[in-house]
Amino acid sequence: MLDSDNFQLALKKNDVLVLVVNCVIDYDGRAQSHLPSGDRIIIIKSDKSLLVHQPKGSSPINYMKAHSQHELAKNDNQFLIESKNQEFKEYLTITINKVYSFNAYNLKDDEKLELAGTERDMAEMIYTHPELICKGFKPLSKEEHTKYGFIDIFGYDANNELVVIECKRYIGDPKAVTQLWRYVEKIKSSKGVKKVRGILACPKISPSAKKMLEDFGFEYAKINPPKYLEKFSKKQKALHEF
Amino acid sequence: MLDSDNFQLALKKNDVLVLVVNCVIDYDGRAQSHLPSGDRIIIIKSDKSLLVHQPKGSSPINYMKAHSQHELAKNDNQFLIESKNQEFKEYLTITINKVYSFNAYNLKDDEKLELAGTERDMAEMIYTHPELICKGFKPLSKEEHTKYGFIDIFGYDANNELVVIECKRYIGDPKAVTQLWRYVEKIKSSKGVKKVRGILACPKISPSAKKMLEDFGFEYAKINPPKYLEKFSKKQKALHEF
DNA sequence: GGGGAGAGATGCCGC
DNA sequence: GCGGCATTTCTCCCC
């Protein structure tokens, strides 16, 4: 049963609150939004973040960041949830017309996701298998953050020419090419050399990115990100092999 | 009560399913992931998307896109949810150790969010109030997608020099400057002119972006995105004015 | 805490 | 459908 006392008690206990309601939502903060009445699921997590989910779509339609403050008020026949985040000056008002359900759960979960197949994994793979780029490629560093900017990989090719590689785990688009260009220019000026090879390593490339690569005199290396998670058991792998 | 029949029936009715469980999650698709056991909220929406939320954090820790297929199997003392998306070759396995709750809801909501304060709104504002950029600025077009690429605004200044404006609703960063540079180059080559003014319009700018602007000979216009939603009543506005 | 860049990004709009 | 890009992006990493 939803009432102000239950709501505040659950918040105080750092429970996760799950409400299913018909509501109207207004937001003001980084932007402003209004959402007319409809059925939604509201989750207030133990870190005091709030999510509003419609029956469709994978992103929340409204939300508040962690460490927000939430209050429930009863107003004639309506409930009202007012959430505010002082730090970011954000305000959310949920006008509840009907409550379908309200539950609070004390949930424990400190686990983090192990993920394989990221851009970082791709750079790692190229670093340890430089022949994937070209014969005789000698990588000097990966994830160079300090001297030359945020460059995925750079090194020397068989002719001792400098090579800058930008990795994308899915598709190389115009933004990736301009990013590569920016890094090549940085290396040129900091190393004081005229010619630096730029290589975009990705499994797919968009048409306009392909044209941009040609315009810049850069190269495309068709490479797939590695997918291997140590803790995946053979049984689990077998699940999706048919 | 969770069982295979209830689960499948709820899916068939396009209900929204909400489960609170202790579980282990494995994913394989665009990448691979493993999440050891913990308490989570699982939502399967009426579009057959699936979300897994931990007690903290605003993003789902695992998910499946819309139009996936979901099956519940009972396996000794465990339940198993197997979700697959044939189109994207993605597979999710949720091994459920304990069920805290299971509910299905028939939810109706066809409303869409009205949003104000976006980059598009910013471009609109500058287009109708060109003096925000500089005296005598004459915008020619906004959101020009066809001839010169995706340029927010371009036009002529008081001296009849071409001007390209890139808007950012929050912060201007190096990526925004390279984007602006790309558009300026496009206009230069397509119009066959040597000098085109580039202006980055945003409320804040990062230090390195500021330096890049200077290097390119571009300008910074400090402009805030407009925040005004017609349907916001005065009462709602008053809520966050104290 | 701020800057910089990835994401299993998602969503939107235009062609 | 794909392409290009914004997002109340969010999250992570590193200084």
Side-chain angles (χ1 to χ4, degrees):
Chain A
M1 181 66 187
L2 179 62
D3 66 49
S4 195
D5 288 345
N6 287 345
F7 186 85
Q8 290 300 333
L9 181 62
L11 285 177
K12 195 172 178 182
K13 290 196 295 179
N14 291 325
D15 283 355
V16 177
L17 286 69
V18 180
L19 295 97
V20 184
V21 300
N22 182 281
C23 63
V24 175
I25 304 178
D26 291 286
Y27 160 76
D28 185 43
R30 285 171 286 179
Q32 283 187 345
S33 75
H34 174 77
L35 184 64
S37 66
D39 297 337
R40 284 124 206 178
I41 297 173
I42 301 167
I43 300 175
I44 301 178
K45 294 195 176 187
S46 56
D47 61 2
K48 269 60 184 177
S49 57
L50 181 150
L51 301 171
V52 180
H53 274 278
Q54 291 183 301
K56 296 181 183 179
S58 46
S59 298
I61 191 72
N62 278 116
Y63 56 91
M64 292 288 279
K65 292 184 191 187
H67 315 302
S68 297
Q69 293 170 277
H70 314 283
E71 277 183 33
L72 180 76
K74 194 163 165 61
N75 193 339
D76 299 331
N77 289 335
Q78 290 179 326
F79 284 104
L80 205 69
I81 294 177
E82 290 194 4
S83 299
K84 60 182 172 185
N85 188 304
Q86 304 281 24
E87 186 186 352
F88 292 95
K89 287 176 184 156
E90 301 202 290
Y91 306 87
L92 190 77
T93 304
I94 304 176
T95 307
I96 298 174
N97 305 306
K98 197 170 177 183
V99 179
Y100 301 121
S101 77
F102 165 65
N103 289 99
Y105 304 91
N106 190 273
L107 301 184
K108 287 194 168 43
D109 181 10
D110 295 314
E111 297 298 337
K112 291 211 165 76
L113 196 72
E114 291 173 68
L115 189 63
T118 63
E119 184 178 305
R120 181 176 283 237
D121 294 329
M122 229 178 126
E124 194 87 27
M125 180 179 70
I126 292 171
Y127 189 76
T128 50
H129 300 282
E131 69 277 7
L132 286 167
I133 293 297
C134 61
K135 217 173 175 178
F137 174 59
K138 299 175 290 289
L140 279 180
S141 75
K142 58 182 153 74
E143 300 272 337
E144 184 70 42
H145 287 260
T146 42
K147 293 176 190 167
Y148 312 111
F150 299 77
I151 292 164
D152 287 341
I153 303 173
F154 88 108
Y156 288 96
D157 68 10
N159 301 322
N160 275 325
E161 255 184 28
L162 271 167
V163 180
V164 173
I165 302 172
E166 172 63 29
C167 302
K168 289 296 158 197
R169 69 174 305 285
Y170 181 53
I171 195 165
D173 59 10
K175 273 189 286 185
V177 182
T178 45
Q179 197 177 352
L180 176 60
W181 170 79
R182 204 146 56 80
Y183 297 154
V184 165
E185 291 303 310
K186 271 191 183 173
I187 290 279
K188 273 189 194 169
S189 66
S190 66
K191 288 272 182 179
V193 290
K194 276 189 178 176
K195 171 99 178 98
V196 172
R197 285 175 67 187
I199 299 177
L200 185 63
C202 45
K204 279 177 65 179
I205 187 162
S206 80
S208 56
K210 198 178 172 72
K211 192 187 172 304
M212 282 181 71
L213 276 184
E214 290 164 10
D215 292 346
F216 282 119
F218 293 156
E219 300 155 61
Y220 165 46
K222 186 178 168 66
I223 293 178
N224 285 292
K227 283 203 308 179
Y228 181 66
L229 202 61
E230 280 182 24
K231 295 213 175 165
F232 253 48
S233 73
K234 283 179 185 173
K235 191 185 169 191
Q236 281 157 349
K237 272 187 198 165
L239 252 177
H240 43 75
E241 276 177 7
F242 57 88
Chain B
M1 180 65 188
L2 179 62
D3 66 50
S4 195
D5 288 343
N6 287 345
F7 187 85
Q8 290 300 333
L9 181 62
L11 285 177
K12 196 173 178 181
K13 292 196 292 178
N14 291 326
D15 283 355
V16 177
L17 287 70
V18 180
L19 295 97
V20 183
V21 300
N22 182 282
C23 63
V24 175
I25 304 179
D26 291 286
Y27 159 77
D28 184 45
R30 284 171 286 178
Q32 285 187 344
S33 76
H34 174 77
L35 184 65
S37 67
D39 297 338
R40 284 123 206 179
I41 297 173
I42 301 167
I43 300 175
I44 301 178
K45 293 196 177 187
S46 57
D47 63 0
K48 268 59 184 178
S49 57
L50 181 150
L51 301 172
V52 180
H53 274 278
Q54 291 183 301
K56 295 180 183 180
S58 46
S59 297
I61 191 71
N62 277 116
Y63 55 90
M64 291 288 279
K65 293 184 192 189
H67 315 300
S68 297
Q69 293 169 278
H70 314 283
E71 276 183 32
L72 180 77
K74 193 162 164 62
N75 192 338
D76 299 331
N77 289 335
Q78 289 179 327
F79 284 104
L80 205 69
I81 294 177
E82 291 195 3
S83 300
K84 59 182 171 184
N85 188 305
Q86 304 281 23
E87 187 186 350
F88 293 94
K89 286 176 184 155
E90 301 203 287
Y91 306 88
L92 190 78
T93 304
I94 305 176
T95 307
I96 298 174
N97 305 307
K98 197 169 177 184
V99 179
Y100 301 120
S101 77
F102 165 66
N103 288 99
Y105 304 91
N106 190 273
L107 301 184
K108 287 192 168 43
D109 181 8
D110 295 314
E111 296 298 337
K112 290 210 164 78
L113 196 72
E114 290 173 69
L115 189 63
T118 64
E119 184 178 306
R120 182 176 282 237
D121 294 329
M122 231 178 125
E124 194 88 26
M125 179 179 70
I126 292 171
Y127 188 75
T128 50
H129 299 283
E131 71 276 7
L132 286 166
I133 293 298
C134 60
K135 217 173 176 178
F137 174 59
K138 299 175 290 290
L140 280 181
S141 74
K142 58 183 152 73
E143 299 271 338
E144 184 70 40
H145 286 259
T146 43
K147 293 177 190 166
Y148 311 112
F150 298 77
I151 293 165
D152 286 342
I153 302 173
F154 88 106
Y156 288 96
D157 68 10
N159 302 322
N160 275 326
E161 255 183 30
L162 272 166
V163 180
V164 173
I165 302 172
E166 171 64 28
C167 302
K168 288 295 156 194
R169 69 174 303 284
Y170 181 53
I171 195 164
D173 58 10
K175 274 187 286 185
V177 183
T178 45
Q179 197 176 354
L180 176 60
W181 169 79
R182 202 146 56 81
Y183 298 154
V184 165
E185 291 302 311
K186 271 189 182 174
I187 289 279
K188 273 189 194 170
S189 65
S190 65
K191 288 272 183 181
V193 291
K194 275 188 177 177
K195 171 96 177 103
V196 172
R197 284 176 66 186
I199 300 177
L200 186 62
C202 45
K204 280 176 66 179
I205 188 162
S206 80
S208 55
K210 199 177 171 72
K211 192 187 173 304
M212 282 181 73
L213 276 185
E214 289 164 10
D215 292 347
F216 282 118
F218 293 155
E219 300 155 59
Y220 165 45
K222 186 179 169 65
I223 293 179
N224 286 291
K227 282 204 308 180
Y228 181 67
L229 204 61
E230 281 182 23
K231 295 211 177 168
F232 253 47
S233 73
K234 282 179 186 173
K235 191 184 167 189
Q236 279 157 352
K237 271 187 198 164
L239 251 176
H240 43 75
E241 276 177 6
F242 57 89

